[in-house]
């Protein structure tokens, strides 16, 4: 009997390990209709910015404003800047810039308490991010018009539009960034890098959702996806 129970336990353990491994390596597929962008058709230049633990997207302001809708309206209300840095995070921890050591209890709350309110950051930048972020902390890529529209629609879909338009939830003194209320919730199961990866997937790129807990995995998403780019004009 003891051996039988041990065998069942080993079987269950192996099943759990296998399921976790499958979840860790699971990939959301690409959309060939959106990615890669053809080199002989109009497109939009985007940059992914990585500070080592968090990722933002740098998007041309003109492209966002031209498409219309709630996201364009929110961008038009921002201070000057030809590029808009876009990110997402917890409504309190993401906005707060006090020393990290003072914010550890709040960080634990953001990670482990379910259902935390979140915000979408729209931060206007005067200079091209390709001039201000080095190659190690930046990945540049080109989206087709359809891919860009799908990406922007995903970002807009994150906004809380219950009042009919995007609502500013927070701003910082001396900072042009504005933080708009989001309809999504922040927790360890849905972090800032998960959100950015989801935006890239909406634009047609394949992603590994679970591994996207790390900013390095979001960077790797771009690197892997760009391997397909030379075939775009074939």
């Amino acid at each position: 009997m003891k051996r039988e129970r041990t065998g069942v336990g080993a079987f269950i353990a192996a099943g759990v390990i296998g399921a976790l491994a499958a979840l860790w390596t699971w990939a959301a597929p690409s959309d060939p209709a959106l990615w890669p962008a053809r080199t002989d058709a109009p497109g939009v230049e985007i940059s992914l910015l990585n500070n080592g633990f968090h990722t933002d997207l740098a998007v041309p302001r003109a492209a966002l404003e031209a498409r219309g809708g709630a996201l364009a309206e929110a961008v038009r209300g921002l201070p000057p800047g030809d590029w808009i840095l876009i990110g997402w995070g917890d409504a309190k921890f993401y906005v707060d810039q006090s020393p990290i050591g003072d914010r550890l209890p709040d960080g634990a709350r953001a990670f482990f308490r379910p259902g935390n309110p979140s915000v979408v950051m729209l931060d206007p930048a005067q200079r091209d991010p390709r001039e201000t972020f080095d190659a190690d902390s930046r990945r540049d890529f080109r989206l087709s018009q359809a891919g860009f529209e799908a990406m922007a629609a995903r970002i807009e879909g994150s906004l809380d539009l219950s009042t009919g338009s995007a609502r500013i939830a927070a701003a910082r003194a001396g900072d042009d960034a504005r933080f708009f209320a989001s309809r999504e919730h922040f927790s360890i199961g849905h972090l800032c890098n998960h959100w950015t990866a989801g935006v890239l997937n909406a634009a047609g790129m394949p992603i590994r959702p679970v591994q996207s807990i790390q900013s390095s995995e979001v960077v790797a998403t771009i690197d892997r996806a760009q391997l397909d780019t030379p075939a775009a004009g074939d």
Side-chain angles (χ1 to χ4, degrees):
M1 259 325 259
K2 186 174 181 181
R3 287 183 181 177
E4 186 176 321
R5 286 197 298 270
T6 301
V8 171
F11 178 79
I12 293 173
V16 170
I17 292 171
L20 290 174
L23 184 64
W24 180 251
T25 57
W26 169 62
S30 63
D31 184 345
L34 300 177
W35 179 270
R38 295 185 63 88
T39 57
D40 57 353
V44 180
E45 300 294 333
I46 312 289
S47 292
L48 176 80
L49 310 176
N50 173 29
N51 70 3
F53 63 91
H54 173 85
T55 48
D56 291 324
L57 292 164
V59 184
R61 184 178 196 143
L64 291 168
E65 292 187 356
R67 64 183 296 274
L71 179 58
E73 181 183 347
V75 169
R76 290 191 190 102
L78 298 172
D82 291 337
W83 290 82
I84 305 298
L85 309 187
I86 303 177
W88 177 87
D90 179 77
K92 182 180 177 184
F93 188 81
Y94 184 34
V95 177
D96 191 355
Q97 289 189 314
S98 59
I100 190 67
D102 298 339
R103 295 190 287 142
L104 292 179
D106 190 52
R109 182 271 313 161
F111 266 59
F112 299 114
R113 191 184 77 179
N116 296 295
S118 66
V119 289
V120 176
M121 182 193 75
L122 301 178
D123 185 6
Q126 296 282 354
R127 294 182 61 188
D128 188 325
R130 289 169 291 191
E131 299 175 358
T132 55
F133 289 81
D134 62 41
D136 289 339
S137 59
R138 190 191 80 245
R139 291 295 186 273
D140 306 319
F141 57 98
R142 182 173 178 275
L143 293 178
S144 66
Q145 285 296 140
F148 170 74
E149 173 58 34
M151 182 196 78
R154 171 64 183 85
I155 296 168
E156 184 171 275
S158 184
L159 296 170
D160 177 0
L161 303 178
S162 57
T163 61
S165 60
R167 173 174 57 86
I168 295 178
R172 295 188 292 230
D175 190 331
D176 287 342
R178 300 293 181 267
F179 298 86
F180 292 82
S182 171
R183 65 177 184 82
E184 300 183 56
H185 295 106
F186 186 95
S187 72
I188 194 169
H190 187 44
L191 300 175
C192 54
N193 296 318
H194 293 134
W195 184 87
T196 304
V199 170
L200 295 176
N201 188 235
M205 295 185 194
I207 65 168
R208 295 187 293 206
V210 178
Q211 292 189 43
S212 295
I213 192 171
Q214 307 168 94
S215 64
S216 59
E217 171 61 22
V218 186
V219 172
T221 293
I222 304 291
D223 292 340
R224 290 192 302 268
Q226 286 186 326
L227 293 175
D228 294 330
T229 301
D234 292 350

